[in-house]
Amino acid sequence: MDDVGEAVQAKRRGNAVTVSHMTPPFAAAGLQGVTYDMNTLLEQYRSIDTGGVKEKTKQRIIELCETEKLCNDLSYTQEQIDGDFDGFIDHLHEYLEELASTNQPLGLHSFGDLPEQRLIISTLGQMLGAEFLSVAAEFEKRRYATENDHDTENEPKLSSSSEENEGVIYSVSENLEYTAGYKTLDEFVVNKRDDRELSKPIKPYIDKAKKYYANIVDISELENLVAGLNGQYIPPKNGGDPVRNPESLPTGFNLIGFDPSRLPTKAAYEQGKELVEEIIANYYKKHTHYPDKLAFSLWSIEAMRHYGVLESQAMYAMGIRPKWSSDGRVTGTEIIPASELKRPRVDVVLSATGLYRDAFPSVMEMLAKAIKQLSELKESSNSIWENSQKVKAQLMAEGVDAAEAEYLSSVRIFSNTFGSYGSGVDEPIMRSDTWDTDKKIADNYLATMGHYFGADKRRWGKVFENLYAKQLAGTDVAIFARSSNLYGMITSDDPFEYFGSLALAVRNIDGKSPEMMISNLRNAKKAKMEMAADMLAKELRTRNFHKRWISEMQKEGYSGAVTMSGNLSNFWGWQVVAPDVVRNDQWDEFFEVYIEDKYELGLNQWFEEVNPKSQQAILERMLEAARKEYWEASEETLQKMIDRFQYLSNKYELVVQNQKLREFIMQTAQGYGMDMALPAAELRAVATDVAPQIAGRKLEQVDKSEFRELETYRLYWLLLACFGFIIVGSLKQFMLGHRPLKIA
């Protein structure tokens, strides 16, 4: 239901009916372990007036923040903490609140089935939002006070934070019934208790929850799939994740997309305008000058969720705005006068995915024409014109005639060629034994995504060597949007393939990566800009390093194991394309959680029961990160990984084809005095001259002459059979004609 862009692509290319299915259920991540301990310390510190105990609590906060790498998440140094401790703990408290309220997907969805009732209730709470959780926490504090006396550790905790963060922090319990709002929803929505007992502030939320609950349980996935296969009509419905867009429920309907002619909407433009002004202002504050160039990664799926917020950021950065018809359709653009803009125009480069290229050609054409106008606008502080002049001079120095150079210098939109999808980086990144530096991957990306889309639509999809690299040069900030509560930074390979590869390309062009920023649009009421490294750190803490997320994924068996190893592979992808986004201690944590089983979930045994290859793949990727010196793993960690890797490989005959990694493992093991043996790599290879064993029917090419001969024989026997039927019929008619009549 949240992958509308792919659904629309299937419609465009194959006239497909796409039957939607639910996302996994959601719950608030809450606080666990170190984050819970830190929140407790903060509460203690604030409740103590002065004296030695307060000072010791302060030191404990600093120590825990450093040892558990929370300070890394916040990008705080010891000097900054010492300089403004009160400001630091305010920031830390806000961070813990955000972690606690983060939407956490739990497990995977089974097509046609409803989740467990407890998970439906937790999803309802997230759909109703932070305001409901705050109101519900107060309501439940009074209504269920007696029940909660036995387990105060798991009660929702009201913080003293600002109204903006809604002030709800609670710890994680295996029983979701202890999260804010759960008991109220269970009693008054699921079990339909008389709602006259509700307080006035909470009743509107419960009325809304009843509608949401009815839509969730009115699942029509299997029924409509069967109906569709029977050629029956499936009604259309918009998509999106249920938390951000409750109207996308119920599921099981024919997914439709957003009308491209309305992108961006007026609301999206206003939001994009605010967000890009925040980027520019913060950049100026940090660097004491305005950014010269921003690069945007445009996705079809995201555009259909946020209705053009990212495109609006690009437009307002350059100083242009859309023109709308009375019914909300975009009819063109206009240049914002410099006197009104009151800052320099910022140049942009737009990298569009293949799906975006196919789904939003009208938007690309509108942007290309507007950029062409700006590239010809000779005014002070117009970096679009200035950079176009620079590229034009470079092209002419290479022998390009003036007219052609002028046109090419105005191009800012790039994608892959028509009919092609992908950025050219996924395969080489995963085949990490084929390269020693990331230049090869950057070159692949620039070649694949370097097809230009300018104001002249007749020339769309063509390539001019190094034009994309010339336009990307000097990029200060790369920007992407994330509006899904399900999809994150490492839930698929697409974010590092497209957005991350912008950083990879710029680093290979300029020698340094741009700042990586994400427009976090998951909460439509509280959009904000976020550093990519910060967003990844929060994702890891609320998912991959979170006990409840892992235990729910364990229930999915084989598929859960595949999801875990896939997430780590995508983490590796980020390591390669944007090393500044990934931290060494995060690799350490992956090892402690998935190999050492720090949460005591029986992961080693579970992997062996459901999918040992997935844990071996996790180890293989970790060892490769160490081999290529992306991760500074300790000798003790390396030894433990190699020992487990050898055990899995030999017991389950799992072979690694990366010969360089095999040699690294062997040499490292010998250094530790380990008796190393791995299955021979040759076992995995299939000789090209040996026919594979095939079970069932086998398709083989038939010689045409043999086919014609066979058809001749078939025709001969068919004619003979027809002749036989004629003779038999004639004889039967003859006999009937001479049969004596029976008299009654």
Side-chain angles (χ1 to χ4, degrees):
M1 65 191 295
D2 197 24
D3 198 359
V4 184
E6 301 273 3
V8 170
Q9 182 76 343
K11 293 180 185 300
R12 190 192 70 80
R13 300 188 71 193
N15 200 26
V17 172
T18 50
V19 179
S20 69
H21 67 77
M22 271 286 286
T23 64
F26 291 90
L31 301 180
Q32 64 157 23
V34 61
T35 54
Y36 177 77
D37 294 341
M38 179 61 82
N39 189 60
T40 302
L41 285 171
L42 288 179
E43 290 179 347
Q44 292 172 355
Y45 179 81
R46 285 175 164 172
S47 65
I48 302 169
D49 291 334
T50 56
V53 176
K54 190 177 184 74
E55 183 61 28
K56 288 180 180 179
T57 305
K58 172 182 175 180
Q59 291 306 315
R60 179 63 186 133
I61 289 171
I62 296 172
E63 289 170 11
L64 189 63
C65 188
E66 179 61 33
T67 57
E68 297 297 334
K69 311 303 179 184
L70 286 169
C71 288
N72 290 354
D73 289 5
L74 297 168
S75 301
Y76 260 88
T77 64
Q78 184 63 53
E79 184 180 0
Q80 290 173 312
I81 295 172
D82 293 338
D84 183 11
F85 185 74
D86 289 340
F88 162 69
I89 60 172
D90 286 343
H91 192 185
L92 178 57
H93 194 266
E94 290 173 6
Y95 174 67
L96 293 175
E97 284 186 326
E98 188 171 1
L99 288 181
S101 61
T102 295
N103 283 292
Q104 181 186 70
L106 297 174
L108 302 169
H109 177 67
S110 295
F111 189 86
D113 289 343
L114 286 173
E116 299 172 45
Q117 191 71 267
R118 67 187 184 92
L119 298 178
I120 294 178
I121 294 172
S122 68
T123 303
L124 283 174
Q126 296 308 103
M127 291 170 68
L128 292 169
E131 298 90 346
F132 163 73
L133 298 177
S134 182
V135 172
E138 288 285 4
F139 174 75
E140 291 175 347
K141 195 173 183 180
R142 296 188 299 271
R143 184 174 181 83
Y144 306 114
T146 305
E147 297 178 35
N148 284 342
D149 285 345
H150 72 283
D151 195 355
T152 56
E153 178 185 342
N154 291 309
E155 287 183 56
K157 290 181 168 57
L158 286 177
S159 72
S160 58
S161 63
S162 64
E163 183 180 345
E164 180 184 355
N165 288 297
E166 307 305 333
V168 178
I169 292 186
Y170 44 83
S171 64
V172 170
S173 169
E174 289 301 315
N175 298 315
L176 287 171
E177 66 187 42
Y178 292 115
T179 56
Y182 184 97
K183 289 184 178 181
T184 305
L185 293 170
D186 187 31
E187 184 176 2
F188 292 97
V189 177
V190 177
N191 292 306
K192 301 179 181 179
R193 181 81 175 251
D194 188 348
D195 60 12
R196 285 178 293 183
E197 299 179 35
L198 292 168
S199 64
K200 188 176 180 180
I202 203 170
K203 191 176 184 306
Y205 294 106
I206 298 303
D207 292 339
K208 193 180 293 185
K210 289 176 180 178
K211 175 186 174 183
Y212 292 167
Y213 181 73
N215 284 340
I216 289 176
V217 299
D218 191 24
I219 189 171
S220 302
E221 296 170 7
L222 196 56
E223 296 87 343
N224 280 352
L225 175 63
V226 173
L229 293 173
N230 281 324
Q232 298 174 25
Y233 173 71
I234 309 299
K237 197 165 188 60
N238 286 312
D241 77 69
V243 175
R244 192 174 190 272
N245 182 22
E247 298 303 316
S248 58
L249 293 168
T251 52
F253 293 87
N254 187 8
L255 276 175
I256 57 173
F258 176 72
D259 181 358
S261 69
R262 300 180 183 275
L263 192 143
T265 64
K266 291 182 180 180
Y269 181 76
E270 288 304 314
Q271 191 169 73
K273 177 180 174 180
E274 292 175 9
L275 291 173
V276 82
E277 280 292 270
E278 180 185 337
I279 294 172
I280 295 170
N282 287 342
Y283 189 92
Y284 185 87
K285 183 178 179 181
K286 181 178 179 180
H287 300 280
T288 68
H289 63 85
Y290 287 101
D292 179 68
K293 189 178 295 185
L294 308 178
F296 293 83
S297 180
L298 303 180
W299 287 24
S300 169
I301 295 171
E302 282 294 335
M304 291 180 187
R305 293 189 190 116
H306 57 59
Y307 299 161
V309 172
L310 197 66
E311 291 80 356
S312 299
Q313 288 180 263
M315 294 171 76
Y316 193 71
M318 294 185 290
I320 56 175
R321 60 183 161 227
K323 294 187 292 186
W324 291 276
S325 64
S326 58
D327 65 350
R329 299 176 188 275
V330 178
T331 59
T333 62
E334 61 181 355
I335 297 174
I336 300 172
S339 58
E340 181 182 338
L341 194 61
K342 297 178 181 178
R343 60 158 173 81
R345 300 185 192 276
V346 181
D347 198 3
V348 303
V349 179
L350 306 175
S351 175
T353 67
L355 291 185
Y356 192 97
R357 175 203 63 214
D358 294 346
F360 294 99
S362 59
V363 177
M364 290 173 63
E365 184 176 12
M366 173 190 70
L367 290 169
K369 289 179 177 178
I371 292 168
K372 182 76 162 57
Q373 283 184 296
L374 289 170
S375 72
E376 298 167 351
L377 181 62
K378 188 177 180 180
E379 66 177 14
S380 61
S381 301
N382 178 7
S383 63
I384 302 100
W385 178 80
E386 292 168 358
N387 287 331
S388 293
Q389 293 300 305
K390 186 188 301 181
V391 172
K392 179 182 176 181
Q394 292 172 350
L395 291 170
M396 291 179 66
E398 295 171 6
V400 180
D401 68 73
E404 178 72 354
E406 183 170 353
Y407 174 74
L408 293 175
S409 70
S410 72
V411 175
R412 296 294 191 280
I413 305 176
F414 297 86
S415 183
N416 41 22
T417 188
F418 289 107
S420 176
Y421 305 90
S423 65
V425 307
D426 187 27
E427 185 176 350
I429 283 176
M430 296 308 163
R431 294 180 60 188
S432 49
D433 57 329
T434 62
W435 49 270
D436 294 320
T437 69
D438 56 24
K439 184 179 184 305
K440 173 183 176 180
I441 304 169
D443 290 344
N444 272 14
Y445 169 79
L446 290 168
T448 303
M449 297 295 292
H451 297 257
Y452 64 83
F453 295 76
D456 184 356
K457 200 171 180 181
R458 296 169 301 177
R459 302 176 63 177
W460 273 20
K462 292 188 176 182
V463 177
F464 189 91
E465 187 176 0
N466 291 327
L467 179 62
Y468 189 26
K470 285 181 171 65
Q471 298 291 23
L472 276 178
T475 296
D476 298 300
V477 185
I479 305 166
F480 174 53
R482 236 356 177 185
S483 51
S484 168
N485 285 287
L486 174 61
Y487 297 105
M489 295 276 284
I490 61 172
T491 46
S492 76
D493 55 7
D494 293 329
F496 80 75
E497 271 200 76
Y498 293 102
F499 174 46
S501 291
L502 282 174
L504 172 71
V506 173
R507 187 168 67 253
N508 275 268
I509 296 165
D510 294 343
K512 65 175 183 177
S513 297
E515 294 180 13
M516 303 291 286
M517 300 202 72
I518 295 177
S519 301
N520 186 341
L521 309 175
R522 286 171 168 166
N523 186 337
K525 297 178 181 178
K526 295 179 183 176
K528 63 176 182 177
M529 295 307 303
E530 201 164 1
M531 296 300 293
D534 296 344
M535 195 168 194
L536 176 58
K538 283 185 284 193
E539 181 175 336
L540 293 173
R541 287 204 183 269
T542 57
R543 299 191 187 189
N544 305 83
F545 301 158
H546 197 287
K547 183 178 180 180
R548 187 174 64 197
W549 184 89
I550 297 168
S551 62
E552 290 294 331
M553 198 60 74
Q554 282 182 277
K555 296 177 183 178
E556 305 298 338
Y558 178 90
S559 296
V562 169
T563 301
M564 291 175 184
S565 62
N567 282 188
L568 182 68
S569 288
N570 298 327
F571 181 77
W572 159 255
W574 273 108
Q575 175 70 81
V576 174
V577 298
D580 294 342
V581 172
V582 172
R583 302 200 313 257
N584 199 74
D585 64 272
Q586 290 167 341
W587 281 107
D588 292 336
E589 188 77 359
F590 267 112
F591 166 75
E592 292 171 11
V593 171
Y594 290 94
I595 309 304
E596 293 225 297
D597 195 15
K598 69 179 286 185
Y599 296 132
E600 299 181 349
L601 294 170
L603 279 176
N604 286 342
Q605 181 181 349
W606 175 77
F607 272 116
E608 289 192 54
E609 289 173 354
V610 302
N611 188 355
K613 176 59 183 172
S614 284
Q615 192 181 36
Q616 192 234 25
I618 289 171
L619 283 162
E620 183 177 331
R621 195 59 64 193
M622 288 178 171
L623 288 164
E624 182 70 344
R627 180 185 78 83
K628 295 183 79 71
E629 299 182 351
Y630 284 110
W631 173 27
E632 296 177 10
S634 69
E635 290 192 5
E636 181 184 2
T637 297
L638 277 173
Q639 187 169 350
K640 288 179 178 179
M641 287 196 296
I642 290 173
D643 184 57
R644 180 66 180 170
F645 186 84
Q646 180 185 24
Y647 168 80
L648 290 172
S649 299
N650 287 318
K651 183 174 181 179
Y652 299 101
E653 296 184 351
L654 304 172
V655 180
V656 56
Q657 290 185 314
N658 182 335
Q659 186 60 33
K660 291 181 180 179
L661 179 59
R662 286 175 62 86
E663 293 170 0
F664 171 78
I665 293 172
M666 295 289 195
Q667 291 171 4
T668 307
Q670 288 174 6
Y672 298 140
M674 298 172 64
D675 184 14
M676 193 64 189
L678 291 173
E682 291 74 23
L683 293 176
R684 187 102 175 260
V686 178
T688 56
D689 59 345
V690 178
Q693 296 297 313
I694 299 175
R697 297 187 178 185
K698 179 181 177 182
L699 298 178
E700 293 182 337
Q701 186 174 355
V702 178
D703 183 83
K704 290 183 178 179
S705 61
E706 293 179 4
F707 179 75
R708 286 193 293 270
E709 185 178 350
L710 180 62
E711 287 299 299
T712 302
Y713 279 115
R714 285 178 178 171
L715 182 60
Y716 171 78
W717 286 108
L718 181 62
L719 291 173
L720 187 61
C722 291
F723 184 67
F725 283 128
I726 293 171
I727 293 175
V728 171
S730 299
L731 288 172
K732 188 174 182 179
Q733 289 296 323
F734 176 78
M735 295 299 293
L736 287 172
H738 290 79
R739 184 177 298 173
L741 295 175
K742 291 184 178 182
I743 307 291

